Amino acid sequence: MIASVKTLLSSVVDYAGLFPPAKLSMREAMAKYAQDKTSNYSWMLGRFVLPESRLNEFEELLPQFPLKQWSLSIILSKELTSEIERVRSLNNSKIAIAALEFPPLSPTQIERVFPLLPAGVDLFFEISLHGNLEFHLDVLRRTGASAKVRTGGITTDAFPRMNQLCQYIFSFAEAQVPFKATAGLHHLLPGNHRLTSEPNSPSALMQGFLNVAILAALVYWQKLTPEDALAVLKESSIEGFQFKADSIGWRDRQLSIAEIEEARQQFFRSFGSCSFQEPIDDLKELKLL
């Protein structure tokens, strides 16, 4: 295991097996997460992503799994007041609420809901790729919250254009707003893949999670122009990157292991994926694991 790669990808996958296209049952998703938490690759696994509406179902099944503590990222819907109250009242020693994820809200709605939120929890507010980014980033910066950007889905129109994703990552960095990505990042490098396991499923160009992670670190440290940033996202060969124990490089740009660690802690936090196995398989195939 290359130390710089492990730093780049530590706790990077928030497991969302309950969501499409995997859409596992609660028991199946919990079993996979519990198993992966005791595997050789547990260092790469972050939170278990759970809709607040299924919290009771989760708690009922909890005694059946030996995992001592579950780190949850709770997905909230439009019923914010009651859902936040439910989260705040949760009292279970096996559950740690690590993050709350919000649907797209207006800046005014974000400011209104913020005083209701528990302290010490990461807050991710989804930013629409078609909304007013400047106003949203202003309120997120002032409140200390983070952004969430959708990088795919089960339809082709759910995938942002690469130049659009670049623009958003630059904007997050300029505003000093951390972010997470969700959906469409199952694979290490960009490429065309089927959107679901259905035999007649359409295909789409998916972003690579390695590209996004490296791009975010380079942008955080102001080592890229927007034109170069797009080239990083488009890099479809592992040979385009250089991996050493103490650094990762792209062309003549270098990231030290300390820079990678800070960028992950302060800027690119994680990505949600309904598969944990696919990222691992890609890393193995390209000899990074």
Side-chain angles (χ1 to χ4, degrees):
M1 181 76 240
I2 304 170
S4 61
V5 174
K6 189 169 186 178
T7 301
L8 182 72
L9 301 179
S10 178
S11 301
V12 77
V13 179
D14 286 339
Y15 180 61
L18 294 170
F19 295 81
K23 209 170 184 180
L24 302 179
S25 70
M26 182 67 73
R27 188 184 303 277
E28 290 171 326
M30 292 176 71
K32 283 187 176 293
Y33 183 82
Q35 181 180 17
D36 289 331
K37 266 296 186 182
T38 60
S39 74
N40 292 333
Y41 310 110
S42 59
W43 57 269
M44 194 172 155
L45 186 59
R47 312 169 181 99
F48 184 86
V49 182
L50 176 70
E52 187 280 335
S53 60
R54 301 185 70 178
L55 191 49
N56 288 345
E57 182 185 0
F58 175 85
E59 282 197 277
E60 288 174 6
L61 290 172
L62 203 53
Q64 300 179 25
F65 298 93
L67 195 60
K68 290 184 178 179
Q69 191 169 63
W70 293 69
S71 178
L72 300 186
S73 190
I74 301 291
I75 304 286
L76 303 179
S77 68
K78 294 292 186 180
E79 303 299 324
L80 292 177
T81 303
S82 59
E83 291 180 341
I84 291 168
E85 183 57 35
R86 170 72 174 100
V87 169
R88 292 182 68 99
S89 66
L90 189 65
N91 183 21
N92 190 316
S93 61
K94 293 186 71 173
I95 295 176
I97 305 297
L100 298 177
E101 301 187 32
F102 294 80
L105 301 173
S106 71
T108 301
Q109 288 173 312
I110 294 174
E111 289 189 303
R112 189 179 302 137
V113 77
F114 204 81
L116 306 176
L117 302 177
V121 173
D122 287 335
L123 306 170
F124 295 97
F125 290 87
E126 184 168 340
I127 305 296
S128 168
L129 292 169
H130 309 290
N132 190 313
L133 181 59
E134 183 180 347
F135 289 163
H136 278 86
L137 291 183
D138 179 61
V139 70
L140 293 184
R141 181 175 55 247
R142 285 190 284 105
T143 57
S146 301
K148 174 180 170 180
V149 61
R150 194 161 293 276
T151 46
I154 57 173
T155 58
T156 55
D157 60 359
F159 289 80
R161 300 185 307 276
M162 283 191 174
N163 62 342
Q164 190 178 25
L165 183 57
C166 273
Q167 176 194 342
Y168 269 61
I169 292 175
F170 264 93
S171 296
F172 295 154
E174 289 171 0
Q176 298 182 335
V177 170
F179 78 101
K180 74 170 288 184
T182 188
L185 288 177
H186 297 185
H187 295 283
L188 187 74
L189 296 168
N192 280 290
H193 300 281
R194 289 190 177 277
L195 301 186
T196 72
S197 58
E198 298 298 321
N200 59 347
S201 169
S203 297
L205 175 61
M206 295 185 177
Q207 317 282 350
F209 66 83
L210 180 72
N211 305 66
V212 171
I214 292 175
L215 171 63
L218 288 168
V219 170
Y220 177 80
W221 289 106
Q222 301 179 8
K223 296 189 178 190
L224 284 178
T225 64
E227 293 76 21
D228 286 336
L230 190 58
V232 174
L233 273 192
K234 289 181 176 179
E235 188 66 69
S236 59
S237 170
I238 199 67
E239 304 301 326
F241 302 101
Q242 304 89 47
F243 302 96
K244 299 178 182 177
D246 60 352
S247 67
I248 292 176
W250 177 78
R251 295 183 181 175
D252 61 343
R253 321 299 163 82
Q254 296 292 317
L255 291 161
S256 70
I257 202 164
E259 289 174 325
I260 295 167
E261 184 173 24
E262 181 172 331
R264 279 296 321 283
Q265 290 176 347
Q266 302 297 329
F267 189 46
F268 176 50
R269 304 299 306 282
S270 62
F271 68 92
S273 173
C274 70
S275 172
F276 185 56
Q277 191 60 48
E278 283 180 294
I280 290 171
D281 289 344
D282 277 13
L283 286 163
K284 286 181 177 178
E285 182 179 346
L286 293 172
K287 308 283 191 280
L288 291 181
L289 275 185

